[in-house]
Amino acid sequence: MSQALPRNGGDLLVEMLGSLGIDAAFGVVSVHNLPLVDAVAHGMRWVPTRSEAASVNAADGYARVRGTPGCAVTSTGTGAANAAGALVEALTAGSPVLHVTGQIPSEHLGAGRGVIHETRDQLGMLRSCSVWATTVGAAPSVDFAEAARRLGGHPRGPVSLEWPIDLQYGQTEPFDAITTDSSRHTVGAPESDNDALESGAVLGTAAVPGLDEAALDRAAEFIAAAKRPVVWAGGGAIGCSGGIDRLLHCTGAGLFTSNAGRGVLPESDDRVIGNFAASATGAELLDQADVLISVGTHFRSNETRSYRLALPRWHIQIDIDPAAIGRSYPAEVGIVGDARKVVDALVGRLADHLCAPQPDWNDRITAARDQCRAQLRRDIGPYAAICDIMAGVLSDRSPRVRDITIPNSSWGNRLLPVMDPSTNVVPRGGGIGQAVGMSIGASVARADEPTMVMVGDGGLVPQLGEMATLAQEELPVTVVVFDDGGYGVLRNTQDRHLGRRSGVDLRTPDLAAAAAAFDFGYFDVATPNEFADAFESATAAGHPQMIRVDCDALGPMPVPFVPPVEMPSSADR
């Protein structure tokens, strides 16, 4: 029989989450977070994941899709450490995750007495993988208010609170939110760009410096004189779609994106070349261009051929982070500020100039767009049909959650179309085994659409237990497992660079038995036609499904995918 409990820290947490627009939290219950879990479970939706890492991954996926911060509640010591890897991913992606973890009783902190769940310098660990972390003290409302402010500020990323269990049970004042509705923004429509942490997951009202009018004037002059301009949009450009659209219109530029910037404009737009800058055709177009305008992009190593990709001589760089200007590539003009404001101001100045791109430049952009995709389709062979089937069944709003696996890295990150940036959910840091957890949060955030997960057999096994979470929550998630019997990306790397294999060939569990154990629908496919029938049925089912794609039976890619990472040549070894 339930009974009313005295007000405690759990009530404060629920009030804070409500003020941030959060309606669900993810986590693992523990003796060191009982009042928090109890309050959340009775105040909103509580989703019990099977691991702390998955709870943060789920909160991360929720934040990216829904457009509010996500919340993960974990245990102390080992539990908090289990969450650390997923916090690193959220940090890399700039994803606004509130991570609340327990702590041993305050009287024992730092004493080294061996209290259960105690670990040395838990706060130091949290600070290393969060943009801000603190120990909740005797005035928890103050700490929570600061956490809310940090979630909306720059740099963006996870915020961690460790909370001694005795203080969780203490009386708390109601949360006096320092944010208002106007300070909540969606991932799909942020007001600030973010290069230092390039997810585009931008919320809150970060203070930004005043715009440099002289730099804007110089940029406008360079752009107006350009004959062959291009724009490169990163995650920081998400949310200024209107400005990017106007910038392309008035300059005649084509649009490259990073993986994080996909969807800033729908990839069906003929002006969008997409995440193909490092391809042979993309590099050729960049070589022909005379001006590049980059907006909130990190110029990541795997998207620039480890920074060997040549950019146009004239580079106009826009970023909210002053340290980003010229960090990876020289910038002729650097403009520090909110992406939306800078792009709008730049477009306004261009109205006073006559932009006259080369007459055939638009045709070259369209040709490059088509050639990039056509070449990739040839390179991936039978997987092109799989991509087409996914694109034809999923709506523009269906989350496309992708693990780090060959199908994703070769074509999922480029060819599978993204029309809405909130559907583009992928580990930005490149770590495998996170997508299933992310799909939990993505599906909770957008339950009216089926969520699709692309994962390899190697990436599925680390989060196999989260199939139980998907089943318990009855989430409409279809897990597409590309089974090649191991770590295919590294297998290809070893084959090309080393000539022998080690640690890459793995035994895949009986996925049909695993699916049955968790009451998933299950399909085993070996051809595109079989996949078409299975994928349509699975995404329409309304509850968890698994499709195993037999990669050996489907056939190899004509061009084996090898990740664009630097390896010493045989002469160097």
PDB file of all heavy atoms in Angstrom, residues 13-26 40 43-46 59 62-63 66-73 96-100 147-148 151 184 203 444:
ATOM      1  N   LEU A  13      14.178  17.080  -7.792  1.00  0.00           N
ATOM      2  CA  LEU A  13      14.626  16.622  -9.099  1.00  0.00           C
ATOM      3  C   LEU A  13      13.469  16.629 -10.099  1.00  0.00           C
ATOM      4  O   LEU A  13      13.613  17.116 -11.223  1.00  0.00           O
ATOM      5  CB  LEU A  13      15.230  15.219  -8.996  1.00  0.00           C
ATOM      6  CG  LEU A  13      15.628  14.559 -10.318  1.00  0.00           C
ATOM      7  CD1 LEU A  13      16.664  15.390 -11.065  1.00  0.00           C
ATOM      8  CD2 LEU A  13      16.144  13.137 -10.068  1.00  0.00           C
ATOM      9  N   VAL A  14      12.320  16.114  -9.688  1.00  0.00           N
ATOM     10  CA  VAL A  14      11.166  16.079 -10.586  1.00  0.00           C
ATOM     11  C   VAL A  14      10.761  17.489 -11.003  1.00  0.00           C
ATOM     12  O   VAL A  14      10.439  17.743 -12.168  1.00  0.00           O
ATOM     13  CB  VAL A  14       9.994  15.337  -9.932  1.00  0.00           C
ATOM     14  CG1 VAL A  14       8.704  15.506 -10.727  1.00  0.00           C
ATOM     15  CG2 VAL A  14      10.321  13.855  -9.779  1.00  0.00           C
ATOM     16  N   GLU A  15      10.781  18.424 -10.057  1.00  0.00           N
ATOM     17  CA  GLU A  15      10.413  19.809 -10.377  1.00  0.00           C
ATOM     18  C   GLU A  15      11.396  20.421 -11.365  1.00  0.00           C
ATOM     19  O   GLU A  15      10.998  21.136 -12.297  1.00  0.00           O
ATOM     20  CB  GLU A  15      10.353  20.631  -9.096  1.00  0.00           C
ATOM     21  CG  GLU A  15       9.188  20.245  -8.196  1.00  0.00           C
ATOM     22  CD  GLU A  15       9.350  20.754  -6.770  1.00  0.00           C
ATOM     23  OE1 GLU A  15      10.380  21.401  -6.465  1.00  0.00           O
ATOM     24  OE2 GLU A  15       8.442  20.491  -5.958  1.00  0.00           O
ATOM     25  N   MET A  16      12.678  20.137 -11.173  1.00  0.00           N
ATOM     26  CA  MET A  16      13.673  20.674 -12.095  1.00  0.00           C
ATOM     27  C   MET A  16      13.484  20.095 -13.496  1.00  0.00           C
ATOM     28  O   MET A  16      13.517  20.832 -14.494  1.00  0.00           O
ATOM     29  CB  MET A  16      15.078  20.357 -11.605  1.00  0.00           C
ATOM     30  CG  MET A  16      16.160  20.845 -12.553  1.00  0.00           C
ATOM     31  SD  MET A  16      17.732  20.047 -12.250  1.00  0.00           S
ATOM     32  CE  MET A  16      18.775  20.919 -13.415  1.00  0.00           C
ATOM     33  N   LEU A  17      13.280  18.783 -13.582  1.00  0.00           N
ATOM     34  CA  LEU A  17      13.094  18.152 -14.890  1.00  0.00           C
ATOM     35  C   LEU A  17      11.880  18.742 -15.604  1.00  0.00           C
ATOM     36  O   LEU A  17      11.920  19.015 -16.810  1.00  0.00           O
ATOM     37  CB  LEU A  17      12.949  16.639 -14.733  1.00  0.00           C
ATOM     38  CG  LEU A  17      14.147  15.899 -14.133  1.00  0.00           C
ATOM     39  CD1 LEU A  17      13.893  14.392 -14.127  1.00  0.00           C
ATOM     40  CD2 LEU A  17      15.438  16.218 -14.871  1.00  0.00           C
ATOM     41  N   GLY A  18      10.806  18.952 -14.857  1.00  0.00           N
ATOM     42  CA  GLY A  18       9.620  19.550 -15.452  1.00  0.00           C
ATOM     43  C   GLY A  18       9.897  20.937 -15.985  1.00  0.00           C
ATOM     44  O   GLY A  18       9.394  21.323 -17.052  1.00  0.00           O
ATOM     45  N   SER A  19      10.704  21.711 -15.270  1.00  0.00           N
ATOM     46  CA  SER A  19      11.016  23.070 -15.720  1.00  0.00           C
ATOM     47  C   SER A  19      11.832  23.068 -17.002  1.00  0.00           C
ATOM     48  O   SER A  19      11.804  24.029 -17.757  1.00  0.00           O
ATOM     49  CB  SER A  19      11.773  23.834 -14.626  1.00  0.00           C
ATOM     50  OG  SER A  19      13.138  23.452 -14.581  1.00  0.00           O
ATOM     51  N   LEU A  20      12.555  21.973 -17.248  1.00  0.00           N
ATOM     52  CA  LEU A  20      13.368  21.850 -18.450  1.00  0.00           C
ATOM     53  C   LEU A  20      12.623  21.174 -19.596  1.00  0.00           C
ATOM     54  O   LEU A  20      13.195  20.933 -20.659  1.00  0.00           O
ATOM     55  CB  LEU A  20      14.648  21.067 -18.142  1.00  0.00           C
ATOM     56  CG  LEU A  20      15.634  21.729 -17.184  1.00  0.00           C
ATOM     57  CD1 LEU A  20      16.756  20.773 -16.821  1.00  0.00           C
ATOM     58  CD2 LEU A  20      16.206  23.013 -17.793  1.00  0.00           C
ATOM     59  N   GLY A  21      11.363  20.855 -19.374  1.00  0.00           N
ATOM     60  CA  GLY A  21      10.574  20.219 -20.415  1.00  0.00           C
ATOM     61  C   GLY A  21      10.808  18.738 -20.560  1.00  0.00           C
ATOM     62  O   GLY A  21      10.450  18.134 -21.571  1.00  0.00           O
ATOM     63  N   ILE A  22      11.392  18.122 -19.552  1.00  0.00           N
ATOM     64  CA  ILE A  22      11.699  16.689 -19.586  1.00  0.00           C
ATOM     65  C   ILE A  22      10.515  15.912 -19.026  1.00  0.00           C
ATOM     66  O   ILE A  22      10.021  16.233 -17.937  1.00  0.00           O
ATOM     67  CB  ILE A  22      12.967  16.392 -18.763  1.00  0.00           C
ATOM     68  CG1 ILE A  22      14.167  17.144 -19.340  1.00  0.00           C
ATOM     69  CG2 ILE A  22      13.243  14.898 -18.688  1.00  0.00           C
ATOM     70  CD1 ILE A  22      15.423  17.068 -18.498  1.00  0.00           C
ATOM     71  N   ASP A  23      10.071  14.876 -19.741  1.00  0.00           N
ATOM     72  CA  ASP A  23       8.942  14.091 -19.248  1.00  0.00           C
ATOM     73  C   ASP A  23       9.282  12.631 -19.008  1.00  0.00           C
ATOM     74  O   ASP A  23       8.397  11.810 -18.740  1.00  0.00           O
ATOM     75  CB  ASP A  23       7.749  14.199 -20.206  1.00  0.00           C
ATOM     76  CG  ASP A  23       8.015  13.581 -21.577  1.00  0.00           C
ATOM     77  OD1 ASP A  23       9.128  13.066 -21.804  1.00  0.00           O
ATOM     78  OD2 ASP A  23       7.097  13.619 -22.415  1.00  0.00           O
ATOM     79  N   ALA A  24      10.570  12.259 -19.093  1.00  0.00           N
ATOM     80  CA  ALA A  24      10.993  10.889 -18.839  1.00  0.00           C
ATOM     81  C   ALA A  24      12.450  10.904 -18.395  1.00  0.00           C
ATOM     82  O   ALA A  24      13.221  11.793 -18.784  1.00  0.00           O
ATOM     83  CB  ALA A  24      10.833  10.019 -20.084  1.00  0.00           C
ATOM     84  N   ALA A  25      12.818   9.954 -17.569  1.00  0.00           N
ATOM     85  CA  ALA A  25      14.205   9.815 -17.133  1.00  0.00           C
ATOM     86  C   ALA A  25      14.594   8.345 -17.219  1.00  0.00           C
ATOM     87  O   ALA A  25      13.744   7.447 -17.159  1.00  0.00           O
ATOM     88  CB  ALA A  25      14.401  10.342 -15.717  1.00  0.00           C
ATOM     89  N   PHE A  26      15.885   8.088 -17.344  1.00  0.00           N
ATOM     90  CA  PHE A  26      16.414   6.756 -17.577  1.00  0.00           C
ATOM     91  C   PHE A  26      17.449   6.436 -16.504  1.00  0.00           C
ATOM     92  O   PHE A  26      18.204   7.315 -16.085  1.00  0.00           O
ATOM     93  CB  PHE A  26      17.065   6.687 -18.958  1.00  0.00           C
ATOM     94  CG  PHE A  26      16.183   7.226 -20.060  1.00  0.00           C
ATOM     95  CD1 PHE A  26      16.142   8.593 -20.331  1.00  0.00           C
ATOM     96  CD2 PHE A  26      15.383   6.383 -20.800  1.00  0.00           C
ATOM     97  CE1 PHE A  26      15.334   9.102 -21.340  1.00  0.00           C
ATOM     98  CE2 PHE A  26      14.561   6.877 -21.807  1.00  0.00           C
ATOM     99  CZ  PHE A  26      14.537   8.235 -22.072  1.00  0.00           C
ATOM    100  N   VAL A  40      10.816  10.139  -9.281  1.00  0.00           N
ATOM    101  CA  VAL A  40      10.684  10.192 -10.739  1.00  0.00           C
ATOM    102  C   VAL A  40       9.641   9.186 -11.204  1.00  0.00           C
ATOM    103  O   VAL A  40       8.784   9.488 -12.046  1.00  0.00           O
ATOM    104  CB  VAL A  40      12.037   9.935 -11.418  1.00  0.00           C
ATOM    105  CG1 VAL A  40      11.860   9.763 -12.923  1.00  0.00           C
ATOM    106  CG2 VAL A  40      13.011  11.079 -11.130  1.00  0.00           C
ATOM    107  N   GLY A  43       6.343  10.594 -10.520  1.00  0.00           N
ATOM    108  CA  GLY A  43       6.072  11.937 -11.025  1.00  0.00           C
ATOM    109  C   GLY A  43       6.121  12.069 -12.525  1.00  0.00           C
ATOM    110  O   GLY A  43       5.615  13.046 -13.077  1.00  0.00           O
ATOM    111  N   MET A  44       6.750  11.105 -13.211  1.00  0.00           N
ATOM    112  CA  MET A  44       6.843  11.119 -14.667  1.00  0.00           C
ATOM    113  C   MET A  44       7.222   9.724 -15.120  1.00  0.00           C
ATOM    114  O   MET A  44       7.181   8.774 -14.330  1.00  0.00           O
ATOM    115  CB  MET A  44       7.859  12.162 -15.154  1.00  0.00           C
ATOM    116  CG  MET A  44       9.279  11.952 -14.647  1.00  0.00           C
ATOM    117  SD  MET A  44      10.456  13.187 -15.287  1.00  0.00           S
ATOM    118  CE  MET A  44       9.725  14.699 -14.710  1.00  0.00           C
ATOM    119  N   ARG A  45       7.621   9.565 -16.350  1.00  0.00           N
ATOM    120  CA  ARG A  45       7.974   8.239 -16.847  1.00  0.00           C
ATOM    121  C   ARG A  45       9.383   7.870 -16.417  1.00  0.00           C
ATOM    122  O   ARG A  45      10.339   8.615 -16.650  1.00  0.00           O
ATOM    123  CB  ARG A  45       7.870   8.188 -18.374  1.00  0.00           C
ATOM    124  CG  ARG A  45       8.123   6.790 -18.947  1.00  0.00           C
ATOM    125  CD  ARG A  45       7.821   6.735 -20.426  1.00  0.00           C
ATOM    126  NE  ARG A  45       7.967   5.384 -20.946  1.00  0.00           N
ATOM    127  CZ  ARG A  45       7.735   5.028 -22.200  1.00  0.00           C
ATOM    128  NH1 ARG A  45       7.309   5.942 -23.076  1.00  0.00           N
ATOM    129  NH2 ARG A  45       7.900   3.782 -22.595  1.00  0.00           N
ATOM    130  N   TRP A  46       9.496   6.714 -15.788  1.00  0.00           N
ATOM    131  CA  TRP A  46      10.798   6.181 -15.408  1.00  0.00           C
ATOM    132  C   TRP A  46      11.082   4.964 -16.278  1.00  0.00           C
ATOM    133  O   TRP A  46      10.282   4.036 -16.348  1.00  0.00           O
ATOM    134  CB  TRP A  46      10.812   5.777 -13.934  1.00  0.00           C
ATOM    135  CG  TRP A  46      12.032   4.986 -13.529  1.00  0.00           C
ATOM    136  CD1 TRP A  46      12.098   3.658 -13.234  1.00  0.00           C
ATOM    137  CD2 TRP A  46      13.366   5.496 -13.360  1.00  0.00           C
ATOM    138  NE1 TRP A  46      13.380   3.297 -12.902  1.00  0.00           N
ATOM    139  CE2 TRP A  46      14.181   4.402 -12.978  1.00  0.00           C
ATOM    140  CE3 TRP A  46      13.945   6.754 -13.519  1.00  0.00           C
ATOM    141  CZ2 TRP A  46      15.555   4.544 -12.733  1.00  0.00           C
ATOM    142  CZ3 TRP A  46      15.307   6.892 -13.277  1.00  0.00           C
ATOM    143  CH2 TRP A  46      16.090   5.804 -12.886  1.00  0.00           C
ATOM    144  N   ALA A  59      19.383   8.807 -22.406  1.00  0.00           N
ATOM    145  CA  ALA A  59      19.129  10.229 -22.150  1.00  0.00           C
ATOM    146  C   ALA A  59      19.694  11.087 -23.276  1.00  0.00           C
ATOM    147  O   ALA A  59      19.096  12.106 -23.666  1.00  0.00           O
ATOM    148  CB  ALA A  59      19.739  10.632 -20.809  1.00  0.00           C
ATOM    149  N   TYR A  62      17.383  10.677 -26.311  1.00  0.00           N
ATOM    150  CA  TYR A  62      16.160  11.435 -26.003  1.00  0.00           C
ATOM    151  C   TYR A  62      16.383  12.925 -26.270  1.00  0.00           C
ATOM    152  O   TYR A  62      15.553  13.596 -26.889  1.00  0.00           O
ATOM    153  CB  TYR A  62      15.810  11.178 -24.546  1.00  0.00           C
ATOM    154  CG  TYR A  62      14.650  11.952 -23.962  1.00  0.00           C
ATOM    155  CD1 TYR A  62      13.377  11.393 -23.909  1.00  0.00           C
ATOM    156  CD2 TYR A  62      14.836  13.213 -23.398  1.00  0.00           C
ATOM    157  CE1 TYR A  62      12.315  12.076 -23.335  1.00  0.00           C
ATOM    158  CE2 TYR A  62      13.787  13.909 -22.821  1.00  0.00           C
ATOM    159  CZ  TYR A  62      12.525  13.335 -22.787  1.00  0.00           C
ATOM    160  OH  TYR A  62      11.485  14.018 -22.205  1.00  0.00           O
ATOM    161  N   ALA A  63      17.523  13.448 -25.794  1.00  0.00           N
ATOM    162  CA  ALA A  63      17.810  14.878 -25.974  1.00  0.00           C
ATOM    163  C   ALA A  63      17.943  15.239 -27.444  1.00  0.00           C
ATOM    164  O   ALA A  63      17.421  16.263 -27.900  1.00  0.00           O
ATOM    165  CB  ALA A  63      19.091  15.239 -25.225  1.00  0.00           C
ATOM    166  N   ARG A  66      14.209  14.754 -29.046  1.00  0.00           N
ATOM    167  CA  ARG A  66      13.094  15.525 -28.493  1.00  0.00           C
ATOM    168  C   ARG A  66      13.369  17.017 -28.439  1.00  0.00           C
ATOM    169  O   ARG A  66      12.462  17.836 -28.540  1.00  0.00           O
ATOM    170  CB  ARG A  66      12.741  15.012 -27.100  1.00  0.00           C
ATOM    171  CG  ARG A  66      11.434  15.579 -26.569  1.00  0.00           C
ATOM    172  CD  ARG A  66      10.963  14.802 -25.352  1.00  0.00           C
ATOM    173  NE  ARG A  66       9.625  15.203 -24.967  1.00  0.00           N
ATOM    174  CZ  ARG A  66       9.361  16.188 -24.120  1.00  0.00           C
ATOM    175  NH1 ARG A  66      10.351  16.886 -23.585  1.00  0.00           N
ATOM    176  NH2 ARG A  66       8.121  16.489 -23.816  1.00  0.00           N
ATOM    177  N   GLY A  67      14.629  17.384 -28.229  1.00  0.00           N
ATOM    178  CA  GLY A  67      14.941  18.794 -28.205  1.00  0.00           C
ATOM    179  C   GLY A  67      14.950  19.426 -26.839  1.00  0.00           C
ATOM    180  O   GLY A  67      15.071  20.640 -26.725  1.00  0.00           O
ATOM    181  N   THR A  68      14.793  18.644 -25.794  1.00  0.00           N
ATOM    182  CA  THR A  68      15.018  19.115 -24.432  1.00  0.00           C
ATOM    183  C   THR A  68      16.235  18.377 -23.905  1.00  0.00           C
ATOM    184  O   THR A  68      16.691  17.423 -24.526  1.00  0.00           O
ATOM    185  CB  THR A  68      13.814  18.797 -23.523  1.00  0.00           C
ATOM    186  OG1 THR A  68      13.689  17.375 -23.397  1.00  0.00           O
ATOM    187  CG2 THR A  68      12.530  19.378 -24.083  1.00  0.00           C
ATOM    188  N   PRO A  69      16.781  18.770 -22.763  1.00  0.00           N
ATOM    189  CA  PRO A  69      17.808  17.913 -22.177  1.00  0.00           C
ATOM    190  C   PRO A  69      17.237  16.536 -21.861  1.00  0.00           C
ATOM    191  O   PRO A  69      16.024  16.339 -21.779  1.00  0.00           O
ATOM    192  CB  PRO A  69      18.189  18.664 -20.887  1.00  0.00           C
ATOM    193  CG  PRO A  69      17.826  20.085 -21.144  1.00  0.00           C
ATOM    194  CD  PRO A  69      16.588  20.027 -21.989  1.00  0.00           C
ATOM    195  N   GLY A  70      18.119  15.572 -21.692  1.00  0.00           N
ATOM    196  CA  GLY A  70      17.746  14.254 -21.210  1.00  0.00           C
ATOM    197  C   GLY A  70      18.255  14.076 -19.798  1.00  0.00           C
ATOM    198  O   GLY A  70      19.126  14.828 -19.343  1.00  0.00           O
ATOM    199  N   CYS A  71      17.727  13.078 -19.086  1.00  0.00           N
ATOM    200  CA  CYS A  71      18.146  12.856 -17.699  1.00  0.00           C
ATOM    201  C   CYS A  71      18.459  11.385 -17.470  1.00  0.00           C
ATOM    202  O   CYS A  71      17.667  10.512 -17.828  1.00  0.00           O
ATOM    203  CB  CYS A  71      17.067  13.305 -16.728  1.00  0.00           C
ATOM    204  SG  CYS A  71      17.483  12.991 -14.981  1.00  0.00           S
ATOM    205  N   ALA A  72      19.617  11.127 -16.866  1.00  0.00           N
ATOM    206  CA  ALA A  72      20.011   9.780 -16.456  1.00  0.00           C
ATOM    207  C   ALA A  72      20.308   9.792 -14.968  1.00  0.00           C
ATOM    208  O   ALA A  72      20.973  10.701 -14.466  1.00  0.00           O
ATOM    209  CB  ALA A  72      21.239   9.325 -17.227  1.00  0.00           C
ATOM    210  N   VAL A  73      19.807   8.782 -14.258  1.00  0.00           N
ATOM    211  CA  VAL A  73      20.037   8.639 -12.823  1.00  0.00           C
ATOM    212  C   VAL A  73      20.795   7.339 -12.604  1.00  0.00           C
ATOM    213  O   VAL A  73      20.323   6.266 -13.007  1.00  0.00           O
ATOM    214  CB  VAL A  73      18.708   8.625 -12.042  1.00  0.00           C
ATOM    215  CG1 VAL A  73      18.974   8.480 -10.544  1.00  0.00           C
ATOM    216  CG2 VAL A  73      17.905   9.899 -12.319  1.00  0.00           C
ATOM    217  N   PRO A  96      22.961  17.745 -24.334  1.00  0.00           N
ATOM    218  CA  PRO A  96      22.621  18.237 -23.000  1.00  0.00           C
ATOM    219  C   PRO A  96      21.967  17.166 -22.129  1.00  0.00           C
ATOM    220  O   PRO A  96      20.755  16.999 -22.124  1.00  0.00           O
ATOM    221  CB  PRO A  96      21.656  19.386 -23.286  1.00  0.00           C
ATOM    222  CG  PRO A  96      20.973  18.976 -24.552  1.00  0.00           C
ATOM    223  CD  PRO A  96      21.992  18.222 -25.355  1.00  0.00           C
ATOM    224  N   VAL A  97      22.772  16.444 -21.403  1.00  0.00           N
ATOM    225  CA  VAL A  97      22.302  15.364 -20.537  1.00  0.00           C
ATOM    226  C   VAL A  97      22.543  15.753 -19.082  1.00  0.00           C
ATOM    227  O   VAL A  97      23.665  16.109 -18.705  1.00  0.00           O
ATOM    228  CB  VAL A  97      23.028  14.044 -20.850  1.00  0.00           C
ATOM    229  CG1 VAL A  97      22.700  12.976 -19.809  1.00  0.00           C
ATOM    230  CG2 VAL A  97      22.665  13.553 -22.248  1.00  0.00           C
ATOM    231  N   LEU A  98      21.493  15.689 -18.277  1.00  0.00           N
ATOM    232  CA  LEU A  98      21.646  15.858 -16.832  1.00  0.00           C
ATOM    233  C   LEU A  98      21.888  14.482 -16.237  1.00  0.00           C
ATOM    234  O   LEU A  98      21.020  13.614 -16.292  1.00  0.00           O
ATOM    235  CB  LEU A  98      20.399  16.486 -16.221  1.00  0.00           C
ATOM    236  CG  LEU A  98      20.417  16.604 -14.686  1.00  0.00           C
ATOM    237  CD1 LEU A  98      21.505  17.568 -14.220  1.00  0.00           C
ATOM    238  CD2 LEU A  98      19.051  17.026 -14.149  1.00  0.00           C
ATOM    239  N   HIS A  99      23.064  14.291 -15.671  1.00  0.00           N
ATOM    240  CA  HIS A  99      23.427  13.018 -15.051  1.00  0.00           C
ATOM    241  C   HIS A  99      23.440  13.215 -13.541  1.00  0.00           C
ATOM    242  O   HIS A  99      24.226  14.001 -13.018  1.00  0.00           O
ATOM    243  CB  HIS A  99      24.809  12.570 -15.536  1.00  0.00           C
ATOM    244  CG  HIS A  99      25.348  11.380 -14.818  1.00  0.00           C
ATOM    245  ND1 HIS A  99      26.644  11.310 -14.347  1.00  0.00           N
ATOM    246  CD2 HIS A  99      24.757  10.208 -14.471  1.00  0.00           C
ATOM    247  CE1 HIS A  99      26.830  10.154 -13.753  1.00  0.00           C
ATOM    248  NE2 HIS A  99      25.715   9.464 -13.810  1.00  0.00           N
ATOM    249  N   VAL A 100      22.526  12.524 -12.856  1.00  0.00           N
ATOM    250  CA  VAL A 100      22.448  12.616 -11.401  1.00  0.00           C
ATOM    251  C   VAL A 100      22.850  11.263 -10.832  1.00  0.00           C
ATOM    252  O   VAL A 100      22.216  10.237 -11.121  1.00  0.00           O
ATOM    253  CB  VAL A 100      21.028  12.983 -10.928  1.00  0.00           C
ATOM    254  CG1 VAL A 100      21.024  13.208  -9.415  1.00  0.00           C
ATOM    255  CG2 VAL A 100      20.536  14.234 -11.651  1.00  0.00           C
ATOM    256  N   ALA A 147      22.993  23.896 -12.381  1.00  0.00           N
ATOM    257  CA  ALA A 147      23.014  22.822 -13.378  1.00  0.00           C
ATOM    258  C   ALA A 147      22.096  23.157 -14.548  1.00  0.00           C
ATOM    259  O   ALA A 147      22.447  22.942 -15.713  1.00  0.00           O
ATOM    260  CB  ALA A 147      22.598  21.502 -12.729  1.00  0.00           C
ATOM    261  N   ALA A 148      20.913  23.693 -14.250  1.00  0.00           N
ATOM    262  CA  ALA A 148      19.984  24.074 -15.313  1.00  0.00           C
ATOM    263  C   ALA A 148      20.589  25.164 -16.189  1.00  0.00           C
ATOM    264  O   ALA A 148      20.467  25.136 -17.419  1.00  0.00           O
ATOM    265  CB  ALA A 148      18.665  24.552 -14.710  1.00  0.00           C
ATOM    266  N   LEU A 151      23.240  23.614 -18.481  1.00  0.00           N
ATOM    267  CA  LEU A 151      22.658  22.844 -19.576  1.00  0.00           C
ATOM    268  C   LEU A 151      22.260  23.733 -20.746  1.00  0.00           C
ATOM    269  O   LEU A 151      22.210  23.289 -21.891  1.00  0.00           O
ATOM    270  CB  LEU A 151      21.432  22.053 -19.094  1.00  0.00           C
ATOM    271  CG  LEU A 151      21.718  20.804 -18.266  1.00  0.00           C
ATOM    272  CD1 LEU A 151      20.448  20.306 -17.604  1.00  0.00           C
ATOM    273  CD2 LEU A 151      22.329  19.705 -19.132  1.00  0.00           C
ATOM    274  N   ARG A 184      14.147  27.683 -23.511  1.00  0.00           N
ATOM    275  CA  ARG A 184      14.162  26.287 -23.945  1.00  0.00           C
ATOM    276  C   ARG A 184      14.065  26.241 -25.457  1.00  0.00           C
ATOM    277  O   ARG A 184      13.163  26.801 -26.048  1.00  0.00           O
ATOM    278  CB  ARG A 184      12.982  25.523 -23.352  1.00  0.00           C
ATOM    279  CG  ARG A 184      13.334  24.758 -22.104  1.00  0.00           C
ATOM    280  CD  ARG A 184      12.196  23.853 -21.723  1.00  0.00           C
ATOM    281  NE  ARG A 184      11.287  24.551 -20.845  1.00  0.00           N
ATOM    282  CZ  ARG A 184       9.983  24.454 -20.942  1.00  0.00           C
ATOM    283  NH1 ARG A 184       9.432  23.737 -21.883  1.00  0.00           N
ATOM    284  NH2 ARG A 184       9.226  25.104 -20.108  1.00  0.00           N
ATOM    285  N   LEU A 203      20.618  24.230 -26.530  1.00  0.00           N
ATOM    286  CA  LEU A 203      19.485  24.659 -25.742  1.00  0.00           C
ATOM    287  C   LEU A 203      19.917  25.825 -24.878  1.00  0.00           C
ATOM    288  O   LEU A 203      21.080  26.007 -24.580  1.00  0.00           O
ATOM    289  CB  LEU A 203      18.957  23.522 -24.869  1.00  0.00           C
ATOM    290  CG  LEU A 203      18.438  22.321 -25.660  1.00  0.00           C
ATOM    291  CD1 LEU A 203      19.421  21.188 -25.586  1.00  0.00           C
ATOM    292  CD2 LEU A 203      17.096  21.900 -25.118  1.00  0.00           C
ATOM    293  N   VAL A 444      11.375   6.805 -26.930  1.00  0.00           N
ATOM    294  CA  VAL A 444      10.564   7.445 -25.889  1.00  0.00           C
ATOM    295  C   VAL A 444      10.257   8.888 -26.287  1.00  0.00           C
ATOM    296  O   VAL A 444       9.150   9.390 -26.079  1.00  0.00           O
ATOM    297  CB  VAL A 444      11.286   7.388 -24.524  1.00  0.00           C
ATOM    298  CG1 VAL A 444      10.589   8.275 -23.496  1.00  0.00           C
ATOM    299  CG2 VAL A 444      11.341   5.951 -24.011  1.00  0.00           C
TER     300      VAL A 444
END
